[in-house]
Amino acid sequence: MRIKKGVRSGIPLLGMDVRWYYIHSQKKKDHSYIMKNEHFHEYYEIVFQFSSIPTVGTVSGREYAANCPMIWFRAPYVLHSIRTEGEYVRTMVAFQPQILNEYKNVLNLGNLRERQACMIPCTEADLERLDQLLMRMQEIWRRGDSEEAWICLLGTLLYEVSNMVTEENSAAAEMPSYMHEIIRCIAENPGDDLSSAVLAKKFFVGRTKLTQDFSAALGIPMHKYVTAIRLTQAKRWLSEGVPIDVIAARCGFSQESSFIYMFRRETGMTPGEWRRRNGTEDS
């Protein structure tokens, strides 16, 4: 089977229609790279940062800083951001969770499985060794060669990265297996009733255990994560020109005024002000 790709502005799209994965190299020659707002993806992401520059990353609002080459691992639906100072050189590998099931005999997350995020400091020798593997993956991707060959290399890459994980470089505690489904449910259904009582009943777990497990795993209370997810989705829809009353409903608010109050409380501005400041006309 040959690799199938979808392209927007020269960059492969992620999604079920493009065989679930991609690899992308990027060299930023600007003085800094800033991702201002926390956001999330629906896929796994491993970023290999080759430059030894001051870097601060956030995971669910908590900051982690380093000044050396590193590997960032992020699971689906994890809120994160990053900012750097200096030339930013990286290679990113991304893949959908479904691919782990299709190739379960080859792909194993190992020590990464129960973690939401890791920031793994590396030596130049570490990344030089892994870069040989990444370049082979990049070449197979560009040529559109055998999917199985790319998957085998991804399996090797996951094995190598997994073995570099320690308790110290995990951005949060290990997560109970059911917590991944809770996080996915919240991220994919921002308009639903996402109270702890409803989620506890849906996932057959005690309410107290759910809230305690969630706070231990992500480092923030569940209701704050729900708000952050809704805010992230709202900003995306605002940038796409979706009417504010529609966004309010999509985020689970029966009254537009309640949504506006939440948005202003969290950002310091109304949704309309945020949209105008970010270059999209209000609707």
Side-chain angles (χ1 to χ4, degrees):
M1 183 182 299
R2 293 177 65 81
I3 292 174
K4 301 175 184 177
K5 292 187 276 189
V7 177
R8 176 187 297 159
S9 301
I11 297 178
L13 301 175
L14 286 171
M16 296 295 291
D17 58 330
V18 294
R19 288 307 295 174
W20 307 349
Y21 55 82
Y22 81 1
I23 182 169
H24 176 57
S25 293
Q26 181 179 35
K27 184 172 184 178
K28 303 287 287 188
K29 293 188 177 181
D30 341 56
H31 180 65
S32 62
Y33 177 83
I34 301 176
M35 184 186 298
K36 294 187 296 183
N37 299 314
E38 284 200 322
H39 66 291
F40 67 91
H41 307 295
E42 298 176 351
Y43 48 82
Y44 286 96
E45 182 180 56
I46 309 177
V47 178
F48 299 84
Q49 180 178 314
F50 294 89
S51 40
S52 297
I53 55 177
T55 302
V56 177
T58 69
V59 176
S60 299
R62 295 193 297 180
E63 287 194 350
Y64 301 87
N67 191 12
C68 63
M70 69 186 70
I71 300 171
W72 293 90
F73 167 81
R74 290 182 281 261
Y77 310 111
V78 171
L79 289 165
H80 64 276
S81 68
I82 187 172
R83 65 180 186 269
T84 68
E85 297 180 12
E87 188 176 69
Y88 183 54
V89 182
R90 72 170 186 174
T91 294
M92 180 175 69
V93 176
F95 55 93
Q96 293 280 10
Q98 294 91 331
I99 204 172
L100 297 173
N101 294 325
E102 180 166 333
Y103 291 97
K104 59 185 177 183
N105 293 330
V106 179
L107 302 178
N108 188 342
L109 290 175
N111 294 327
L112 300 168
R113 182 174 302 280
E114 302 304 331
R115 302 177 190 278
Q116 61 155 336
C118 295
M119 183 184 73
I120 308 173
C122 302
T123 65
E124 291 185 2
D126 288 332
L127 282 183
E128 184 176 342
R129 174 173 53 83
L130 292 175
D131 193 33
Q132 300 301 312
L133 182 58
L134 291 168
M135 287 191 294
R136 289 169 62 194
M137 296 174 71
Q138 185 85 47
E139 184 60 28
I140 289 174
W141 172 261
R142 286 174 177 166
R143 293 200 311 257
D145 285 353
S146 164
E147 178 174 282
E148 285 73 16
W150 198 93
I151 294 298
C152 286
L153 293 176
L154 176 60
T156 302
L157 187 69
L158 290 175
Y159 175 81
E160 295 285 348
V161 174
S162 171
N163 286 338
M164 299 172 73
V165 174
T166 67
E167 291 299 324
E168 289 72 27
N169 58 37
S170 293
E174 293 188 15
M175 290 196 292
S177 57
Y178 80 93
M179 193 59 61
H180 293 281
E181 293 304 313
I182 297 283
I183 292 170
R184 179 178 179 180
C185 177
I186 293 171
E188 292 184 349
N189 304 283
D192 289 358
D193 183 346
L194 298 173
S195 64
S196 58
V198 169
L199 291 174
K201 184 176 180 180
K202 181 174 182 177
F203 289 92
F204 305 100
V205 62
R207 183 176 179 180
T208 300
K209 176 175 173 54
L210 170 60
T211 55
Q212 289 177 345
D213 284 351
F214 197 98
S215 294
L218 274 78
I220 57 173
M222 189 165 65
H223 71 275
K224 288 190 175 181
Y225 179 81
V226 170
T227 297
I229 288 294
R230 286 173 169 163
L231 193 65
T232 299
Q233 294 285 49
K235 288 177 179 177
R236 178 168 67 85
W237 290 323
L238 283 168
S239 67
E240 293 172 354
V242 178
I244 292 174
D245 61 336
V246 175
I247 296 174
R250 288 183 181 180
C251 289
F253 292 87
S254 58
Q255 299 292 326
E256 182 180 342
S257 59
S258 298
F259 167 70
I260 292 173
Y261 175 82
M262 180 278 291
F263 197 95
R264 179 187 288 157
R265 182 190 69 211
E266 298 296 325
T267 67
M269 64 187 82
T270 67
E273 290 169 342
W274 188 93
R275 173 138 58 192
R276 288 189 291 272
R277 183 171 295 186
N278 286 272
T280 304
E281 291 299 318
D282 200 1
S283 297

